Amino acid sequence: MTFVMALCVTACVGVSIYLLLGRDLKGVAMGVFLLGHGANLSIMAMSGSPVLPAENATAAESLKAAPILGAHVPSPALANMVDPLPQALILTAIVIGFAVMGFLLTLLIITNRSTGTLVVDRLANEPVSTTRTDTRAEPFLPSGTPS
Amino acid sequence: MSMALAGFLQLAVVAPPAGGLLLAIIAPVLAGLATLLLPRAAVTARVVLAGAGPALAFVLVLWHLGAHGVAGHTPPPESHHASITHVADTSGTDDLASQVIESSLSHASDAGRLAAPPQGTAVIEWVPDLDLNLAFLADGLGGFFALLVAGIGVLIVLYARGYFGGATEQARADLFRFYPTLGFFASAMLGVVLADYTLLTLVFWELTSISSFLLIGWNRYDKAALKLAKQAFFTTGLGGMFLLGGIGLLGYHTGHWRWSELLQHANDLDWSGGTLKAAFLLMFVGAASKSAQWPLHYWLPGAMAAPTPVSAYLHSATMVKAGVFLVGRMLPLFVLPGEGVGVDIWPGLITWIGAITMLYGGVTAVNQHDLKRIFAYTTVSQLGLLMAMYGLAGFDFDHAGHVVAAAIDLDITQIANHAFYKAPLFITAGAIGHYLSRSLPDLHGAFYKFPAICATMLLAGYALAAGPGTVSFQAKELFLYAIYHAANGRPWLWVILAMTIATAACNVAIFVRLLTTLLGLPGSMGKADHDSAHDDDHGHGEDGHDHHHAPEPGLGGALIWLPAVPLVALQYIGGLAPGVWDRLFGRFERFGYYFDHGVPSLLYAITHPGVPLYASGVAIVLGVVLGLSKLLRGQHIDPHDAIYPGVEAASVGLGRGLFAVLQNGSLRVYLTVVLIALMTCLSAAAWHDPGMIAPIGAEAARAFELPLGVIVGLLIVITALLLPVFSSRIVRVLMLGSCGFTVVAMYVVYQAPDLALTQLMVEIIGVLLFVLVLRLLPEPPQGERALPVGKLWRAGLGLVVGLAFGWITLVCAHAQPEALLGEWFSQYSYHGPAMIDAAGEKTGYERGGGGKNVVNVILVDFRGFDTLGEISVLGLAALGVWSMLPGRRRELCGEPPAQANASSSDPSTAEATLS
């Protein structure tokens, strides 16, 4: 099962890197979300397989129990129950990922409004190139020095 | 009680208190800062207050030396005296040098070292963990330098009053700014020469570099001066870095961080391995940069852009001698007289560097017109001579089966000699430049207009030429003796003797030209050379001080040359009455192998002729001829002046090139670099630990244990891979959404209901938001599709990084930790630990989380602050969105902002309901 998860992580992270390296900012935004999925799945997989070990498995139950204590969880041992801690971490991550998504989408709108383009190279080049020309003209002269 | 007092007194004898010297060090800067409180018009009070700082320092150092003695100074044994006197008395017509060799042979046992290792003061703790504390070492070298710095400091304070004037608003502003900076320098320099902790020396060393920078760039509106200040700062500052390296190596290798301790253990240092040699080399580079040794000497003539008081103080008498001082400090450490040389490269390296500097400085000095440049190059030359003097000290030599001590004598006299004529030369050069011109050809007959200034300059110039009657003559003789001794058995050292004669001839030539020009005699630097010279006068980044001032009447005006007089007087006292000189300075001398009873008198030197005396004579004759000849009358442009601008341009160019390559503004390049670095590290890790590969096979064997999981996993993979295939952005968003929903399914498989619910909410809102936002954004320009090569490259990198992350996941999941934190969380999620009474019966449970959903308990209880942070992030993001969308805000102006916030706050409320 973990191997399947590893494949999912590979697919999500790989595609997200492909998108992040692209020229379109919208693709970059999608890449960020996909990267979040990949990271969450990776943490999930690290908690181990949800399949019950063969000696504990019954005909009715082949999976470990959800981390909710109750009548059907006789003892809070992780042999029979999935690890709750990665779930807690991922829950936090999902919510923060959502906040980042909202922020990022807003940034897209703002960027588009102020520059009229969402092509990464163009966005990157224009402002930086102007500052660089400025630096070249007088690299070390302190500002405010009368000439 | 009396025992305790006696113990205390004994302690006081063993380690003198540090407070007095500390006060002496900070007195100048405190006085300088105090002058800032005076009104600008109070010129006299300002001068008095500023001068009180170094004067107090002078008195305190003197008091310390009087109360506790010169550290490490022990009077030479009586028998030693006797034998010298005896030899001197019975000397026939043999030359002096061979007699003193004989005399030192007669007491070869104590020829090794006259002075005991000096004792530092008590320690005032500063940073004990770094071996950086306040303790001072007022031995002969340090104590003498401290008096020199403080004493000349007082004179320079007075001179600055004469130089800047006091009547105009500009002059008052200059003085207002000048004295604190000068005090800063004086304190830093006192610190250098008195510090006992090696690192403390370094701290003050760098402070002198900073103050020198401030003073060279005194004229803030002169770009040339600023450049020269930068040049001096970087050259000496980088030298300071070398010094740091050397001090560090020395300290870690020996375990001693105090000069006094190092000197005490000089005989039992571990010389094996190259560590101490490397330490010496690094420290010497630092010293050479500070003392303007070839080829790093270029900064010193450049530093003449500073006002003349600064040139007279920092760049001739004190700061530039810091390197010489350091080498003098290291001498007893690295050179073990009578026992061979600790660092075998010492004599060869220092002597040759010093000699080259000496000759180059001397020849270049003749070839200048600007007085300050002339004296700057003679300073370089003299610093080279002082270095060579310490270098020669490394030569000990075999004489009739005895190893005779190193060739050095009366180093303090040499150092004092230079300070006592060079500072007056600068002072008077500044004075004459103030009234007339600093260009020598312009000064034809200046003596008749300004007799006092010119007479002082000529008297100091006579000392520069090492004329008989000045202590300079004897100092030159001492140096020639040192060469003569060291050359015994080393014929190639005669080259150094020739270089010294040539340098001395250059100095004599400079004096001859000064004399003829100022007096308007034939053979002067006449008006003939004038026209070609004058235009260049302002081209060297001079201090911009206006020439052709009217002489200021009264004492204030006289202060522009008067401070030179006591220093010149000391030169002639030393020359004509060496007994007085010895009473004044003899107690500071550390080395007196041949002349341990003091400076030889002029008569003594003349009546005991030998190679040194003949060499002096040759130098004087050659010098007079050269001075009167037409040779070397141009203005030599020092090719070393191009070193610093070249290095600076190269490093700035290199930096700019690297910046253009590395910081090209393309996010994709940055990301690629980061990812490639990450992959390299991971490959290195796998290479290092092949066990990281094994989990792949083990987990692949168990891949199909859960068919449902395999199906969901495949769906995730397919949806993710299909995402970039479609070009329509709506389809892309839908693919993103489907991927998210299959991830939800995977959470269900993994028995994580909370995650599934939350992800479901987020996914629904996310897809909706994305579709809404996409409507506002433009389509990507169709004509500018990326090249297929770029796509392939992206896909390849994506594949590699993806595989790496999958692999990391497998490696982590395969690990078998001893205990899982989750176990603890689930155990105490509802109950706390069981309470057991004295009888061993379980009576109940302590307080636990009180919830049955372990994930929720972790979020709101065990890791509650984490969740608080998460909610804060959400709130901040919502605020950010709100503030960034002014248009949207205006639309909602009439209504409360609930609608805009609703979308953002949804997941938190969703989570709250879940919790």
Side-chain angles (χ1 to χ4, degrees):
Chain A
M1 191 59 221
T2 309
F3 191 75
V4 176
M5 285 292 262
L7 285 183
C8 297
V9 170
T10 301
C12 287
V13 172
V15 172
S16 110
I17 294 292
Y18 177 81
L19 291 173
L20 284 175
L21 288 173
R23 300 170 66 241
D24 187 15
L25 263 191
K26 294 191 293 292
V28 172
M30 291 185 193
V32 171
F33 306 151
L34 217 47
L35 193 64
H37 283 320
N40 289 345
L41 288 177
S42 178
I43 296 175
M44 196 81 236
M46 285 174 198
S47 69
S49 170
V51 181
L52 269 178
E55 64 269 19
N56 295 353
T58 61
E61 285 292 335
S62 65
L63 286 181
K64 293 180 182 176
I68 298 174
L69 306 175
H72 61 289
V73 180
S75 73
L78 290 192
N80 298 314
M81 193 177 82
V82 294
D83 193 342
L85 186 61
Q87 297 194 10
L89 297 180
I90 294 171
L91 196 57
T92 309
I94 291 173
V95 177
I96 291 190
F98 177 69
V100 170
M101 174 166 76
F103 201 74
L104 205 55
L105 289 177
T106 317
L107 276 181
L108 286 191
I109 296 172
I110 295 294
T111 310
N112 184 44
R113 261 190 213 166
S114 55
T115 66
T117 180
L118 283 178
V119 178
V120 174
D121 295 341
R122 277 196 215 157
L123 283 175
N125 278 337
E126 286 182 17
V128 174
S129 67
T130 41
T131 33
R132 206 187 290 153
T133 332
D134 285 347
T135 338
R136 257 182 206 170
E138 282 293 345
F140 284 118
L141 197 69
S143 58
T145 308
S147 46
Chain B
M1 180 67 192
S2 63
M3 286 288 284
L5 191 64
F8 174 78
L9 283 177
Q10 197 177 8
L11 196 70
V13 169
V14 170
L21 291 179
L22 180 62
L23 190 59
I25 289 173
I26 59 174
V29 70
L30 287 184
L33 289 176
T35 60
L36 292 177
L37 301 174
L38 296 173
R40 295 210 176 192
V43 171
T44 309
R46 183 178 304 282
V47 173
V48 169
L49 186 54
L56 179 63
F58 190 87
V59 170
L60 282 170
V61 172
L62 213 54
W63 170 80
H64 180 93
L65 293 174
H68 306 288
V70 178
H73 179 82
T74 49
E78 283 306 312
S79 63
H80 197 154
H81 261 305
S83 69
I84 278 280
T85 322
H86 172 73
V87 172
D89 285 346
T90 58
S91 56
T93 52
D94 287 346
D95 66 277
L96 180 64
S98 67
Q99 294 159 27
V100 288
I101 290 173
E102 295 300 330
S103 78
S104 56
L105 282 178
S106 66
H107 51 269
S109 59
D110 52 37
R113 176 173 303 188
L114 289 181
Q119 172 84 43
T121 64
V123 176
I124 300 173
E125 286 204 346
W126 183 16
V127 196
D129 292 337
L130 289 179
D131 292 299
L132 173 55
N133 292 317
L134 302 176
F136 305 104
L137 178 62
D139 64 343
L141 189 66
F144 168 74
F145 257 103
L147 291 178
L148 185 76
V149 171
I152 298 188
V154 177
L155 296 176
I156 293 299
V157 165
L158 298 175
Y159 173 57
R161 160 67 184 85
Y163 181 80
F164 286 114
T168 64
E169 196 53 42
Q170 177 64 34
R172 286 171 184 170
D174 279 343
L175 284 181
F176 180 78
R177 196 155 68 90
F178 184 73
Y179 283 136
T181 327
L182 195 74
F184 172 40
F185 164 75
S187 285
M189 191 64 210
L190 283 169
V192 169
V193 299
L194 287 175
D196 190 14
Y197 276 88
T198 47
L199 287 172
L200 191 62
T201 307
L202 180 82
V203 169
F204 285 118
W205 182 281
E206 296 293 19
L207 287 180
T208 60
S209 291
I210 294 170
S211 58
S212 164
F213 167 76
L214 293 174
L215 288 165
I216 298 171
W218 175 256
N219 186 350
R220 292 172 287 188
Y221 306 116
D222 182 352
K223 283 190 180 172
L226 292 182
K227 269 186 188 160
L228 293 167
K230 217 166 65 184
Q231 161 178 305
F233 179 71
F234 275 109
T235 308
T236 57
L238 282 177
M241 292 299 103
F242 278 90
L243 179 60
L244 172 63
I247 284 176
L249 272 186
L250 187 67
Y252 283 115
H253 184 72
T254 62
H256 301 300
W257 295 89
R258 294 179 69 167
W259 293 113
S260 54
E261 281 179 15
L262 282 165
L263 296 179
Q264 274 157 24
H265 296 93
N267 283 312
D268 41 71
L269 294 183
D270 175 18
W271 291 100
S272 60
T275 315
L276 282 180
K277 191 189 271 190
F280 158 70
L281 272 178
L282 289 173
M283 289 166 84
F284 178 68
V285 172
S289 72
K290 195 78 162 180
S291 274
Q293 297 299 296
W294 178 86
L296 299 176
H297 65 269
Y298 54 81
W299 73 265
L300 181 52
M304 295 303 135
T308 309
V310 175
S311 307
Y313 192 26
L314 275 70
H315 303 128
S316 68
T318 55
M319 188 189 83
V320 290
K321 290 214 183 68
V324 173
F325 165 82
L326 186 73
V327 172
R329 217 1 141 231
M330 295 193 288
L331 176 70
L333 182 63
F334 287 116
V335 175
L336 309 173
E339 300 173 27
V341 183
V343 172
D344 50 1
I345 50 174
W346 174 289
L349 178 72
I350 302 185
T351 308
W352 282 107
I353 292 280
I356 292 171
T357 312
M358 173 177 76
L359 184 62
Y360 185 81
V363 174
T364 315
V366 183
N367 238 339
Q368 301 291 333
H369 285 180
D370 179 21
L371 282 180
K372 274 180 84 172
R373 281 185 84 79
I374 294 175
F375 298 145
Y377 277 106
T378 58
T379 304
V380 169
S381 168
Q382 189 70 20
L383 290 171
L385 184 144
L386 293 172
M387 277 289 177
M389 170 187 77
Y390 280 125
L392 287 169
F395 292 113
D396 45 6
F397 51 95
D398 203 44
H399 185 88
H402 295 273
V403 174
V404 177
I408 186 167
D409 261 307
L410 309 181
D411 54 331
I412 300 297
T413 296
Q414 293 276 17
I415 293 166
N417 155 48
H418 177 235
F420 290 164
Y421 73 74
K422 190 52 62 63
L425 281 177
F426 271 106
I427 288 175
T428 48
I432 201 78
H434 193 67
Y435 294 142
L436 277 177
S437 165
R438 269 193 355 229
S439 180
L440 193 51
D442 290 347
L443 294 174
H444 192 84
F447 181 81
Y448 307 106
K449 292 183 205 157
F450 299 98
I453 294 173
C454 290
T456 315
M457 184 190 282
L458 287 175
L459 284 173
Y462 184 64
L464 166 71
T470 60
V471 78
S472 190
F473 177 75
Q474 277 103 320
K476 192 79 74 187
E477 286 290 291
L478 285 174
F479 183 69
L480 291 167
Y481 275 125
I483 298 176
Y484 178 76
H485 291 144
N488 188 347
R490 295 183 187 83
W492 47 270
L493 278 184
W494 293 116
V495 179
I496 305 258
L497 186 71
M499 290 166 90
T500 313
I501 293 174
T503 311
C506 288
N507 286 344
V508 173
I510 290 168
F511 169 66
V512 169
R513 287 185 184 171
L514 268 182
L515 184 74
T516 51
T517 308
L518 291 182
L519 293 178
L521 298 178
S524 71
M525 302 279 282
K527 300 284 181 186
D529 303 353
H530 175 211
D531 292 338
S532 61
H534 191 74
D535 292 340
D536 294 341
D537 193 23
H538 298 277
H540 299 296
E542 314 300 350
D543 58 25
H545 198 72
D546 289 334
H547 293 176
H548 315 301
H549 289 261
E552 190 183 339
L555 181 65
L559 278 179
I560 203 167
W561 61 273
L562 215 48
V565 172
L567 296 175
V568 176
L570 279 170
Q571 268 286 345
Y572 287 88
I573 288 174
L576 299 172
V580 179
W581 176 276
D582 283 331
R583 287 190 73 80
L584 289 174
F585 301 111
R587 71 197 66 199
F588 298 113
E589 295 290 356
R590 299 181 301 163
F591 304 102
Y593 298 110
Y594 313 119
F595 300 100
D596 67 337
H597 56 316
V599 178
S601 70
L602 181 61
L603 184 69
Y604 187 82
I606 290 174
T607 53
H608 296 80
V611 173
L613 188 64
Y614 301 144
S616 280
V618 171
I620 290 175
V621 172
L622 281 179
V624 172
V625 171
L626 175 64
L628 296 174
S629 76
K630 295 283 178 196
L631 289 172
L632 298 180
R633 290 206 168 197
Q635 292 204 83
H636 178 64
I637 310 263
D638 191 348
H640 301 82
D641 284 349
I643 291 179
Y644 177 78
V647 170
E648 189 191 284
S651 41
V652 169
L654 182 70
R656 197 172 283 152
L658 280 178
F659 184 86
V661 170
L662 297 177
Q663 300 286 327
N664 59 357
S666 166
L667 291 175
R668 300 161 66 182
V669 172
Y670 298 164
L671 192 59
T672 310
V673 170
V674 168
L675 290 176
I676 288 177
L678 179 68
M679 290 304 109
T680 313
C681 292
L682 286 177
S683 315
W687 180 266
H688 185 69
D689 181 9
M692 290 170 76
I693 307 293
I696 299 178
E699 292 294 340
R702 295 197 288 143
F704 297 102
E705 58 187 352
L706 190 64
L708 180 64
V710 175
I711 294 169
V712 175
L714 274 182
L715 275 175
I716 295 180
V717 172
I718 290 168
T719 46
L721 288 180
L722 280 180
L723 174 56
V725 172
F726 293 106
S727 59
S728 161
R729 41 191 199 173
I730 293 296
V731 179
R732 277 190 168 195
V733 172
L734 291 180
M735 273 299 152
L736 190 64
S738 339
C739 184
F741 288 122
T742 42
V743 168
V744 171
M746 186 55 100
Y747 288 147
V748 173
V749 172
Y750 258 76
Q751 298 286 37
D754 303 286
L755 295 192
L757 284 174
T758 315
Q759 185 74 54
L760 193 64
M761 299 270 191
V762 165
E763 213 55 48
I764 293 169
I765 300 167
V767 170
L768 287 178
L769 265 183
F770 228 113
V771 171
L772 282 175
V773 167
L774 283 185
R775 272 185 46 231
L776 299 172
L777 297 177
E779 284 281 350
Q782 294 295 324
E784 296 184 41
R785 283 278 163 211
L787 293 170
V789 182
K791 275 193 176 177
L792 269 181
W793 164 243
R794 281 160 61 195
L797 193 60
L799 183 67
V800 172
V801 176
L803 283 174
F805 271 84
W807 167 55
I808 293 173
T809 307
L810 281 182
V811 172
C812 294
H814 200 68
Q816 299 290 332
E818 294 278 312
L820 289 169
L821 262 180
E823 193 103 37
W824 189 92
F825 283 126
S826 9
Q827 200 124 42
Y828 298 121
S829 171
Y830 190 62
H831 295 303
M835 288 191 290
I836 315 265
D837 65 4
E841 293 293 316
K842 187 151 72 169
T843 57
Y845 295 98
E846 286 183 29
R847 202 167 150 249
K852 299 212 166 172
N853 185 336
V854 183
V855 175
N856 283 357
V857 174
I858 292 176
L859 280 177
V860 300
D861 198 326
F862 293 127
R863 294 172 57 84
F865 276 117
D866 204 16
T867 310
L868 189 66
E870 163 205 330
I871 294 171
S872 314
V873 169
L874 205 63
L876 283 176
L879 275 178
V881 170
W882 178 246
S883 61
M884 276 196 296
L885 287 177
R888 191 56 56 91
R889 191 165 51 194
R890 227 176 292 124
E891 288 169 25
L892 296 169
C893 214
E895 291 184 39
Q899 197 188 336
N901 267 350
S903 61
S904 298
S905 53
D906 259 357
S908 63
T909 47
E911 197 200 343
T913 51
L914 287 171
S915 310

